[in-house]
Amino acid sequence: QVQLVESGGGLVQAGGSLRLSCAASGSILRINTMGWYRQAPGKQRELVAIIISGGSTNYADSVKGRFTISRDNTKNTVYLQMNSLKPEDTAVYYCNAEIQTAGARITTIFTGHQGTQVTVSS
């Protein structure tokens, strides 16, 4: 069984910074793509950023230049450094990861269920 646990959210003023972490644990053989999504009240979940195993990244237009996604493969952890935060960044942030588990021939997408709340005040 695989678990993804997000942390690092909080309340911050506009212009501030936060760093989110998401650690994957369980019977993991390898992790391909890891990503961050967010869901604001009354809105659909949207992609924030993804990073593949080789290190290439992709960002939503709304966060380019402000957010940086990175990963530590030795810790099965993905990070999201968020700078110059805006009130519209307020949301619950979730991570997911494409993981091949022990004994599996294919990868499966796992998603953190708890998420971490980010609130940006104006």
Side-chain angles (χ1 to χ4, degrees):
Q1 191 71 355
V2 171
Q3 249 191 333
L4 298 179
V5 179
E6 303 98 338
S7 62
L11 173 63
V12 65
Q13 287 188 332
S17 299
L18 285 173
R19 188 191 193 210
L20 307 184
S21 300
C22 173
S25 62
S27 300
I28 297 171
L29 284 183
R30 63 186 178 92
I31 302 178
N32 291 343
T33 303
M34 304 184 83
W36 287 96
Y37 293 76
R38 66 187 180 187
Q39 188 164 19
K43 295 187 177 181
Q44 289 191 334
R45 190 173 295 192
E46 63 173 354
L47 170 69
V48 176
I50 59 172
I51 181 169
I52 66 172
S53 57
S56 295
T57 59
N58 196 17
Y59 297 90
D61 287 341
S62 59
V63 307
K64 282 181 182 177
R66 301 188 297 121
F67 291 10
T68 302
I69 188 171
S70 60
R71 61 192 286 174
D72 184 338
N73 293 328
T74 65
K75 297 181 179 179
N76 291 335
T77 299
V78 62
Y79 305 96
L80 187 67
Q81 178 66 44
M82 307 186 295
N83 299 327
S84 301
L85 282 161
K86 303 176 181 180
E88 51 263 45
D89 295 317
T90 295
V92 179
Y93 285 69
Y94 301 88
C95 70
N96 74 0
E98 181 188 3
I99 297 174
Q100 183 181 6
T101 57
R105 295 183 179 182
I106 61 174
T107 58
T108 301
I109 303 295
F110 292 89
T111 301
H113 295 290
Q114 182 176 356
T116 186
Q117 175 71 48
V118 171
T119 303
V120 184
S121 63
S122 58

